[in-house]
Each structure stands twice: as C-alpha cells, then as structure tokens.
Amino acid sequence: MQNLLKYNQPDINGRFGKYGGKYVPETLITPLQELEEIYNKLKNDPGFILELNHLNQEYSGRPTPLTYAANLTDYFGEAKIYLKREDLCHTGAHKINNALGQILLAKKLGKTRIIAETGAGQHGVAAATVCAKFGLKCFVYMGEVDMERQSPNVFRMKLLGAEVIPVTSGSRTLKDATNEAIRDWVTNVSDTHYIIGSVVGPHPYPMLVRDFQSVIGIEAKNQILSAENKLPDYVVACVGGGSNAIGIFYPFINDDIKLIGVEAAGFGLNTDKHCATLSLGREGIFQGMKTYLLQSVDGQVSEVHSISAGLDYPGVGPEHSFLKDEIIAEYFSITDDEALEATKLLSLKEGIIPALESAHAVAYLNILMPDTKKEEVVIVNISGRGDKDLNTIREKLNL
C-alpha cells in the first residue's frame, strides 16, 4: 500500500471527483463505516502490513515476474514489450491480492460468513481459497450463463468448500450476481462480510480494493527500473470493473507515462452487444456508486456482452471514470474476434495462454505498436491465465 502525495483521491466522502460515493440502503451504512474505520486504522499498521506481505509472498507467490516478451517485441519490431505476470499468482489471477487483504479485514471485524460475486470465476475462486485458509464459510453468487462458460472455476470453488449460488435473473451474468450478493448482504449484515472483487461499489470498496491491488504496479515499477533503468512509456491493462488496471496504473499516476485501459467491444461498438462503458456510457448510479454506466435513454441498465465473462459488466470503477474525465488515463475497446486472435498470438509467440480478459489488452498492441519507437517500453498486465477459458477458445477457434 502506498500514499501518493500529488493524487489525493478519493476525498473524505469517498468521491473521485464527482464519481463514487455511497448510494446504499440505510442498513449498509453502519457496516460500510465500520469497514472504512478498520481499514484506515490498519492500512498503515506495521503488523497488518507484515501479515499481508507475508501472505502475498509465501502463499500467493509474489512478487510476480515482469517478463520481457522478446518474440512479441520482434514480431512488432517497435518498442520493447514486457508482461506483468499476474497469471502466475496462486489461483491464476490478480484477484487473490484483494481477497487476502479483505479476509484479514473480515477477521478483524469478527465476521464469520463471507459472500462474493463472480463473473469469470477467478474472484470466486480467490474468495473460496482465502475462506478455506482462514476457516470461514463462503457463498459465491454467479450468473447461470457464466457458470456454464466458466465451469472449471465452478468446480474449483466447490472443491474449496464454497457454496456456488446460481443467479437466474436478468442476463444471468456478473451484474446480476452482484445484485444478488448485495441483497444477501443487506439481509445478513451482522455476521457477513462482502468481499467485492473489483474497484466498484460503495465507498470504501473502490479505495481499499485499489490499494490491495496496487502491489501489481509497485512491483512493476521497481522491476522495470531494474531491467531498463527507466520508467515505461506505456502501461496497458484490460478494464471491466477495473481492478487489475487500477492496480497497475495507481503507482504510475504521478509519472509522465501513458496509461491505457482496454474495454470489451464485444460484437462491435455499432451493436448493442458490447461492454464499452467508458467509450459509450454516461453518468449514472449503479450498485452503490456514481460512475459511467451503459444505460438506455430512460436510465435502464443495458444488457451487455463480451466473450470474456470478467469484462461482461455495464459499469466501471468510479476511479476509472475520474481518470477518463481528467485525461490521466485513456480508454479504448477491442472486439471478441480481436481478443481471440491476440490469445493465439501470445500463445504462439511467448508460450503464454492469457485469460480472455487479458487478451483484450494484448490485442491493443496491434493498434499501439505502430506508433511506438524502438527505444520505448510498453508494459502489458496479464491479469490472469487462460485455463478457465479453454472451452470457449476451443469452440470459437475450432481447434
């Protein structure tokens, strides 16, 4: 965790500029205040930091490598490309960073029951993992569509002792799973902690999830300085809710580099089957926060689509909305087909099969690299590995 003096966000009301806040039923105000108080007390506590660092190192496997992608660099023939390897974390993605931090907070709060939402299943697996380690009951809400396309992760959660609760409402994907988790939390607030998996929801979640995930960027910054004796010129990451992107962006925010978030364009921005919230959305209130949101003209939340279950979300973290408006970061989008081609490219060139979420960031290299120079450096965050997506990839690529 790191304090950035020139970047004082969020404010004391939990707002990133005009975004964020705490739009929740009265029942949740007290537990949110308790969570904020315990987090503010512990985030600079040496004992808490030591315990979390120990778990990150000895349990999760940090620091993750920053891998020079020599073959991919040669393929494009321009800037050097480095890959931040969150796919090598325990459980296969960056989600464990936040889950470990939050389970420690839950223990300090005396909570005995954990709930979580999941889309791609990686956050659900991370939550189930830390609950198994710390002996807490775990209940994971997951849309039926996502349960089908991410069936290996459903099995992993069950093997770890979690109860996976199918969500049959709405589009039966991530936003619906989140809605059901919030309903559960309202009902069982006395003994339950909700481990939100991304930088979304009411304050203090966007802040504390960001801080737990900023270990990605802190490591990457030190690693690239060691490898190249300079900061990168570009940092690229996929964005759904946006936790892996904020995690790698945050420690670079005060530096003069280009931060690039890549959303899911699905079937294309000219269709209604995409998740390009920051490209085509507008301000709205959603799941406890004010942020950019894909919605109809009368304010109804849009049904969205991505081949990637982890990006299949109509909102985005409020800090990303602030970064977009302030032009601190830029946001673009990649289609399903482009992400699939990038999956093949990284697999064949570097022997790394990325999660379909991460493949969106890799695909953006086709757009970015022609405008780079050989002396420049690009870091791409590989937020997770592709094991969970093999059935989808095999079906779509006919392999």
Side-chain angles (χ1 to χ4, degrees):
M1 291 176 281
Q2 182 182 43
N3 292 320
L4 294 161
L5 296 178
K6 291 191 290 182
Y7 184 79
N8 188 25
Q9 299 291 333
D11 64 19
I12 59 172
N13 297 313
R15 292 187 178 276
F16 302 87
K18 60 183 175 180
Y19 303 104
K22 195 182 295 182
Y23 297 87
V24 294
E26 186 176 351
T27 308
L28 296 181
I29 294 297
T30 297
L32 286 169
Q33 289 174 339
E34 291 173 348
L35 179 60
E36 183 178 3
E37 288 170 6
I38 195 71
Y39 176 66
N40 285 334
K41 178 182 177 181
L42 293 175
K43 68 180 180 180
N44 295 315
D45 178 77
F48 178 80
I49 294 170
L50 184 65
E51 185 176 11
L52 181 57
N53 287 346
H54 178 77
L55 287 166
N56 278 331
Q57 292 166 14
E58 302 300 323
Y59 188 66
S60 182
R62 305 205 70 88
T64 58
L66 184 69
T67 301
Y68 174 51
N71 297 331
L72 201 59
T73 298
D74 289 345
Y75 172 80
F76 286 107
E78 302 297 342
K80 287 185 175 180
I81 300 169
Y82 283 83
L83 309 174
K84 182 56 175 163
R85 301 294 306 283
E86 292 303 290
D87 57 310
L88 296 180
C89 284
H90 178 44
T91 71
H94 70 291
K95 295 295 187 180
I96 191 72
N97 305 327
N98 168 55
L100 284 171
Q102 285 206 50
I103 200 72
L104 295 181
L105 296 180
K107 293 285 284 187
K108 296 289 185 182
L109 289 167
K111 304 297 184 180
T112 58
R113 180 176 181 271
I114 299 297
I115 58 173
E117 86 298 328
T118 198
Q122 288 302 123
H123 174 58
V125 169
T129 297
V130 298
C131 285
K133 181 166 180 60
F134 286 90
L136 298 182
K137 297 176 182 177
C138 184
F139 301 84
V140 181
Y141 287 88
M142 191 172 190
E144 279 189 332
V145 169
D146 292 337
M147 288 183 70
E148 181 176 351
R149 59 180 169 173
Q150 302 287 280
S151 57
N153 274 344
V154 175
F155 175 72
R156 292 170 76 194
M157 286 182 271
K158 291 180 178 179
L159 184 61
L160 289 160
E163 180 177 338
V164 183
I165 303 171
V167 175
T168 60
S169 59
S171 61
R172 299 173 293 149
T173 56
L174 180 56
K175 76 173 177 63
D176 311 292
T178 304
N179 287 337
E180 291 303 318
I182 292 171
R183 290 189 185 100
D184 182 316
W185 193 25
V186 170
T187 304
N188 300 289
V189 72
S190 60
D191 67 345
T192 297
H193 175 67
Y194 180 11
I195 299 184
I196 292 180
S198 194
V199 284
V200 298
H203 180 68
Y205 280 103
M207 174 183 69
L208 67 88
V209 176
R210 174 199 68 191
D211 290 352
F212 290 141
Q213 291 293 0
S214 68
V215 66
I216 304 170
I218 293 169
E219 287 178 5
K221 194 170 193 176
N222 291 330
Q223 289 166 327
I224 200 65
L225 285 170
S226 177
E228 294 289 339
N229 199 32
K230 59 170 281 187
L231 292 175
D233 299 278
Y234 305 87
V235 175
V236 184
C238 66
V239 176
S243 64
N244 92 89
I246 275 299
I248 197 167
F249 288 176
Y250 186 54
F252 289 103
I253 276 176
N254 290 326
D255 301 309
D256 186 21
I257 67 174
K258 292 188 177 180
L259 306 175
I260 298 171
V262 185
E263 298 185 296
F267 292 163
L269 298 188
N270 60 338
T271 74
D272 61 355
K273 300 293 185 182
H274 62 79
C275 307
T277 308
L278 290 163
S279 299
L280 297 178
R282 55 192 174 88
E283 295 173 26
I285 306 298
F286 182 58
Q287 294 179 341
M289 60 184 170
K290 182 176 184 180
T291 191
Y292 274 86
L293 178 63
L294 291 170
Q295 54 190 309
S296 65
V297 292
D298 58 355
Q300 298 300 305
V301 179
S302 300
E303 299 293 341
V304 294
H305 162 80
S306 172
I307 193 172
S308 162
L311 303 183
D312 203 346
Y313 186 66
V316 69
E319 189 164 7
H320 284 292
S321 297
F322 175 78
L323 296 181
K324 172 187 167 65
D325 282 5
E326 296 297 314
I327 321 177
I328 296 171
E330 297 180 275
Y331 297 87
F332 304 92
S333 60
I334 287 294
T335 66
D336 289 354
D337 288 343
E338 289 170 325
L340 283 166
E341 288 302 311
T343 301
K344 286 171 57 179
L345 178 65
L346 190 61
S347 300
L348 293 172
K349 293 297 180 183
E350 295 293 341
I352 298 170
I353 303 173
L356 283 171
E357 291 82 5
S358 311
H360 285 70
V362 176
Y364 186 73
L365 293 175
N366 289 299
I367 299 169
L368 174 65
M369 295 307 291
D371 293 328
T372 64
K373 302 172 184 176
K374 288 185 181 294
E375 65 271 19
E376 292 183 320
V377 172
V378 178
I379 295 178
V380 181
N381 198 28
I382 306 300
S383 57
R385 64 177 179 242
D387 305 36
K388 66 184 179 61
D389 296 315
L390 291 180
N391 287 339
T392 299
I393 295 167
R394 179 174 56 193
E395 176 187 333
K396 298 296 183 182
L397 295 180
N398 295 314
L399 297 177

